[in-house]
Amino acid sequence: MSRAIGIIVVALSLLACAVQLQATRERLFPPSAGDADAMYLRSAETLRRLSGAYTVLAADGYWIRALQYYGGTKQRLQAQTWVPEPPPMLAVPTSDDFSLLYPMLDLATSLDPRFTIAYRFGAVFLAEAYPRGAGRPDLAVALLEKGVRAQPDKWEYMEDIGFVHYWYVHNYRAAAGWFQKAGEVPGAPWWLRSLAATTLAQGGDRQSSRVMWEAIRQSAAIDWLRQDAERRLLQLKALDDIDNLQQGVDAFVRTAGHPPADWLTLVRARMVAGIPLDPTRQPYELTAQGRVRLAASSPLAPLPEEPRQIGAPEAPPH
């Protein structure tokens, strides 16, 4: 018996060392896409047999690898980006970028089906628009649905699925259905049913988005999720600012017959009190055509593609 335990301990130690050694290797010698595709076991059953009673530890190892892979890929893409990021709806991932993210998350959650952080963080990484994420909301939904199958009373996963449909896919009927389903789970917050009704009737609007991000901010048990929600709320504030400033610029154009040359022109015309700043204290841009935009250098850039109300005309890009 003691010999068997010793063999298991040695095997797990070697597995942990291999994971750490691979992480160090990738930091020093980034692998090519072809090498990366061959690095990982993709069978949860095989890993479960190898890890024995320590499958949760193995799940943690693959979750750490997923974090390293996501962060490293995102950092590499940002280093390659020498022009402003494209609008989220136009950004299309390549066939290789983030290709291992879902398999890693799938392995981690197969080894530990109750791995809440892996489901919820992983869904964000998958759904986030490229190049900040994989740009694959379909895989985010698949991962969260897997979590619901493992824990049918986990209303948070249902809320997250609804949010992916709302924010990233703009499928309001699907979003409303999942919000309603989440609201029917005992212990779920009351506002989920109200949100379901509003989403089904109106589609997307900024106020509904603000309610959802504020709910995520207040309920997040993890700092990263809370900080991401705070950033999203600041982006919504910037969108409000841009709409209000654009009204002032349009009023100037109607009076003067031409766009203002710069913000100082509007200051002198008493249309604005000073150079307008976004919530991170970066000046907003004013184009030669008289359009107000968020500066590409702002920490809030790029602004999200907003969900639109049902029947509302498409807004001009910010």
Side-chain angles (χ1 to χ4, degrees):
M1 180 69 177
S2 60
R3 182 178 179 182
I5 294 175
I7 292 173
I8 291 174
V9 170
V10 171
L12 288 171
S13 299
L14 290 173
L15 178 62
C17 289
V19 170
Q20 195 60 40
L21 182 62
Q22 185 63 57
T24 302
R25 174 187 179 276
E26 287 182 16
R27 284 196 297 270
L28 296 177
F29 307 101
S32 67
D35 293 338
D37 285 341
M39 284 196 301
Y40 300 97
L41 287 171
R42 293 176 180 259
S43 170
E45 186 58 37
T46 300
L47 281 168
R48 192 175 289 108
R49 287 198 300 269
L50 288 173
S51 57
Y54 298 89
T55 54
V56 172
L57 179 61
D60 289 341
Y62 270 88
W63 169 238
I64 292 170
R65 291 297 301 113
L67 288 174
Q68 292 172 331
Y69 175 76
Y70 169 75
T73 303
K74 180 178 175 181
Q75 186 176 35
R76 173 175 58 81
L77 291 172
Q78 289 177 333
Q80 293 174 352
T81 302
W82 56 276
V83 295
E85 294 181 7
M89 296 300 287
L90 299 180
V92 179
T94 70
S95 59
D96 296 325
D97 295 328
F98 297 106
S99 62
L100 289 177
L101 182 56
Y102 181 80
M104 290 180 189
L105 294 169
D106 186 46
L107 275 173
T109 53
S110 293
L111 292 169
D112 182 3
R114 304 175 71 86
F115 205 157
T116 298
I117 293 176
Y119 286 117
R120 302 196 74 186
F121 269 60
V124 174
F125 299 160
L126 289 166
E128 189 71 30
Y130 181 85
R132 294 179 62 88
R136 292 296 304 272
D138 57 324
L139 293 181
V141 169
L143 183 67
L144 290 165
E145 287 179 338
K146 178 182 177 183
V148 172
R149 289 193 296 273
Q151 294 179 271
D153 60 344
K154 195 75 171 176
W155 62 263
E156 292 91 340
Y157 296 162
M158 303 174 199
E159 175 198 11
D160 290 348
I161 295 173
F163 186 75
V164 170
H165 282 297
Y166 178 96
W167 187 256
Y168 295 104
V169 185
H170 302 177
N171 184 337
Y172 306 126
R173 182 172 295 278
W178 279 102
F179 291 145
Q180 179 66 30
K181 188 172 182 178
E184 293 171 354
V185 175
W190 61 269
W191 50 262
L192 280 169
R193 294 192 183 193
S194 299
L195 187 59
T198 301
T199 301
L200 188 60
Q202 300 180 9
D205 62 29
R206 198 172 296 167
Q207 183 56 33
S208 296
S209 300
R210 188 173 286 110
V211 168
M212 279 189 285
W213 283 118
E214 182 61 32
I216 292 172
R217 186 188 71 82
Q218 293 183 11
S219 63
I222 305 163
D223 287 342
W224 187 89
L225 283 177
R226 181 165 53 252
Q227 292 165 3
D228 187 57
E230 289 171 351
R231 179 176 182 272
R232 299 294 188 174
L233 288 167
L234 291 179
Q235 287 182 320
L236 294 174
K237 173 66 168 60
L239 288 168
D240 287 340
D241 290 347
I242 290 172
D243 286 349
N244 292 331
L245 290 167
Q246 191 63 57
Q247 290 179 9
V249 172
D250 292 345
F252 178 90
V253 171
R254 288 194 296 271
T255 301
H258 58 81
D262 50 31
W263 286 119
L264 291 178
T265 302
L266 292 173
V267 172
R268 289 191 291 269
R270 300 181 182 275
M271 304 293 289
V272 295
I275 304 297
L277 305 177
D278 72 23
T280 67
R281 309 302 295 171
Q282 293 287 318
Y284 286 107
E285 291 182 352
L286 181 61
T287 71
Q289 294 74 35
R291 305 302 305 175
V292 181
R293 293 179 179 172
L294 187 75
S297 60
S298 172
L300 302 180
L303 290 176
E305 183 78 14
E306 282 194 282
R308 292 187 290 119
Q309 285 188 312
I310 293 174
E314 186 171 354
H318 290 293

